Amino acid sequence: MQHTENEAHRLDAADPGHRHLFHVPPAEGGRYPEVAYLAGNSLGLQPRATRDELLADLDAWRRLGVEGHVEAERPWLPYHELLTAPAARLVGALPAETVVMNSLTVNLHLLMVSFYRPAGERTRIVIEDSAFPSDSYAVRSQARFHGLDPDATVVRLKPRPGEDTLRTSDVLDFLAAEGHTVALVLLGGVNYLTGELMDIPAITAAGRAAGAVVGWDLAHAAGNVPLALHDWDVDFAAWCSYKYLNSGPGALAGVFVHERHLGDPRLPRFEGWWSTEAATRFEMTPVSRPPATVEAWQISNPPIFAMGPVRTSLELFDSVGMPALRERSLRLTGWLERLLDEVTVGRPLTVVTPRDPARRGCQLSVRIGVSARSEPGLRAPQSRTEWSMVGSANELTKRLRHEHGVIADAREPDIVRFAPVPLYSTYHDCWRVADALAAAVEVDR
Ligand SMILES: Cc1ncc(COP(=O)(O)O)c(C=O)c1O
């Protein structure tokens, strides 16, 4: 390759990141002791600090039993409050607008209980055609819950024929033309498949101007790109913490509800004892007194041992800062893009993520196949030659892992996603991706 391994090492020396704060798994294949981990968009690596912090919480339970609710070093009753301010800083929200609880799809449902209110001709829910399936199932089941036909209710916005990603203008044009029928716009801030970063402020403004509620699934955006949810006037948002937030598999998720909705007695909401204000919670009254904060959306007392990893991770984001991470992310992903440009030439591989750095986070998605996307759905390799040279996305990622120690992640049939994560990925990891692809995929002659 034109870009050499030494060049990667030089870049790493000049721009080292924070890899030393993480556990990087050993490699099972290839010639390097550690994996090149490019799957932080799926599951982030474990911060070194997490284990001790988690053990300290576990010790409090061993020593104190039930008294830990008030006497633990980090008392359990208000434990979730420790996560609120750093989570709010991460997504550009006020603390009153932010809470960490449950998991992502559960939170989307709880938010739709409040914010999906179909009425009259305004019943539709707008998602992207390549929405993560859980979101698609969630909105379809919400439509059914309201007695509506999901096929007629859920609008799936598709890229133009021959294009891989949505144009902002197409979303805006749709909302201008048909917004009067839309009750809810619920899009992914960064699309899980293509890595496209949507224009959150422009789409939010257009959706709200059309009279719809606008919510965002930020699973692939939180900790990946800078966010300003409050200033962008987003109605609500939810995100998970196991991808870029490195809080472990199935980690607790985050929720944002804009200040203008807080304390609104007209909003329906499902409640439990954690929805009532903390000061009178133990008066055990039959009727709740929800606070005028997003904590009113909480239901159960939170799992403390699941909160520790989120707290530890958010401290890390606070200490490094999103602006610095975004800067490094742009450098690292730009470098991976240059390497992929070199290695995809002549091979049946195409980067489908937008080339404009402002329209993406750190993830670059590579499609196995050479021509543009055709409808409906993603195009699978069309010729026998393409399949035999590369295999499916799963087959290719297995080869990358076992023969080269490169961990990427596959979305069948034909997308392989590579995410150089600015906290811990290196320029050398990116170089290993390109080197492994060059070896694993024959040049098309
Ligand atoms: C964009 C998006 N939405 C929703 C989910 C589902 O998340 P959960 O299983 O935490 O509800 C995922 C999981 O990867 C996702 O990427």
Side-chain angles (χ1 to χ4, degrees):
M1 284 198 303
Q2 194 191 328
H3 293 289
T4 64
E5 189 166 16
N6 274 342
E7 190 181 349
H9 285 313
R10 275 198 303 276
L11 289 166
D12 276 323
D15 186 10
H18 300 81
R19 189 184 187 81
H20 60 289
L21 299 176
F22 289 84
H23 291 288
V24 180
E28 284 172 22
R31 55 201 162 95
Y32 303 96
E34 289 178 344
V35 294
Y37 196 79
L38 280 294
N41 58 328
S42 182
L43 181 72
L45 290 179
Q46 185 183 130
R48 288 183 181 274
T50 300
R51 185 187 167 89
D52 285 348
E53 296 287 313
L54 193 53
L55 287 177
D57 286 337
L58 208 50
D59 276 351
W61 180 32
R62 178 171 54 81
R63 284 185 290 104
L64 298 165
V66 70
E67 307 300 347
H69 281 299
V70 283
E71 290 179 17
E73 187 192 343
R74 293 181 282 265
W76 304 331
L77 282 179
Y79 198 112
H80 66 274
E81 293 170 12
L82 298 174
L83 285 59
T84 298
R89 282 191 283 275
L90 188 79
V91 298
L94 304 175
E97 296 171 322
T98 317
V99 68
V100 173
M101 62 182 201
N102 309 315
S103 48
L104 171 53
T105 314
V106 170
N107 286 337
L108 287 174
H109 274 299
L110 294 178
L111 290 163
M112 282 191 276
V113 164
S114 302
F115 294 110
Y116 176 51
R117 314 284 309 283
E121 66 167 352
R122 197 183 278 286
T123 58
R124 295 160 99 192
I125 305 175
V126 175
I127 63 172
E128 70 271 51
D129 190 38
S130 58
F132 191 79
S134 195
D135 296 30
S136 182
Y137 307 156
V139 295
R140 289 176 63 82
S141 64
Q142 284 284 332
R144 279 196 301 273
F145 178 72
H146 286 275
L148 299 167
D149 170 7
D151 290 331
T153 304
V154 177
V155 180
R156 310 182 70 95
L157 295 182
K158 292 183 170 63
R160 295 181 183 193
E163 297 188 6
D164 294 296
T165 50
L166 279 173
R167 294 188 191 196
T168 304
S169 59
D170 286 351
V171 182
L172 301 189
D173 288 349
F174 174 83
L175 290 170
E178 305 205 32
H180 60 286
T181 66
V182 175
L184 173 65
V185 178
L186 182 60
L187 300 173
V190 171
N191 182 266
Y192 88 99
L193 192 63
T194 64
E196 177 183 16
L197 168 59
M198 305 302 291
D199 190 336
I200 300 176
I203 294 171
T204 301
R208 296 196 59 231
V213 173
V214 184
W216 291 91
D217 176 341
L218 300 177
H220 288 262
N224 181 14
V225 292
L227 297 165
L229 301 184
H230 176 84
D231 289 348
W232 293 341
D233 270 338
V234 164
D235 285 302
F236 71 87
W239 58 94
C240 62
S241 311
Y242 46 80
K243 301 176 186 298
Y244 297 106
L245 300 185
N246 310 312
S247 304
L252 284 170
V255 163
F256 165 89
V257 173
H258 199 277
E259 189 182 29
R260 66 180 164 273
H261 299 300
L262 303 178
D264 182 347
R266 293 164 305 174
L267 279 182
R269 216 180 38 241
F270 287 167
E271 291 187 347
W273 70 323
W274 241 251
S275 322
T276 202
E277 60 175 17
T280 55
R281 181 170 296 139
F282 288 91
E283 290 176 9
M284 307 312 241
T285 55
V287 178
S288 71
R289 293 156 83 170
T293 72
V294 69
E295 291 192 3
W297 272 263
Q298 294 184 114
I299 293 179
S300 293
N301 83 107
I304 299 304
F305 305 136
M307 295 228 132
V310 185
R311 184 178 55 75
T312 313
S313 164
L314 289 174
E315 276 171 15
L316 229 161
F317 274 85
D318 258 348
S319 68
V320 178
M322 232 10 246
L325 279 177
R326 175 64 171 168
E327 288 299 312
R328 183 161 192 271
S329 176
L330 292 170
R331 293 191 293 273
L332 211 51
T333 299
W335 162 249
L336 178 62
E337 185 177 46
R338 289 200 293 284
L339 293 166
L340 290 177
D341 279 348
E342 195 182 328
V343 92
T344 50
V345 171
R347 291 186 171 83
L349 300 172
T350 313
V351 177
V352 298
T353 308
R355 293 199 72 90
D356 177 1
R359 290 191 56 217
R360 67 187 189 208
C362 68
Q363 170 185 326
L364 295 181
S365 302
V366 173
R367 196 185 52 237
I368 303 167
V370 283
S371 68
R373 176 184 169 132
S374 60
E375 300 203 18
L378 291 170
R379 167 189 174 280
Q382 312 246 295
S383 68
R384 286 188 157 275
T385 348
E386 278 181 32
W387 277 115
S388 63
M389 281 193 304
V390 190
S392 69
N394 265 339
E395 285 160 0
L396 178 59
T397 44
K398 274 191 194 130
R399 286 218 304 283
L400 293 178
R401 176 176 171 209
H402 295 300
E403 293 167 22
H404 303 277
V406 169
I407 308 278
D409 108 328
R411 284 291 170 255
E412 288 285 80
D414 60 354
I415 294 283
V416 181
R417 308 180 299 175
F418 300 100
V421 172
L423 269 172
Y424 52 72
S425 294
T426 62
Y427 292 85
H428 189 244
D429 289 337
C430 298
W431 185 86
R432 283 176 63 187
V433 169
D435 186 52
L437 282 174
V441 181
E442 280 175 45
V443 175
D444 196 359
R445 291 175 210 289

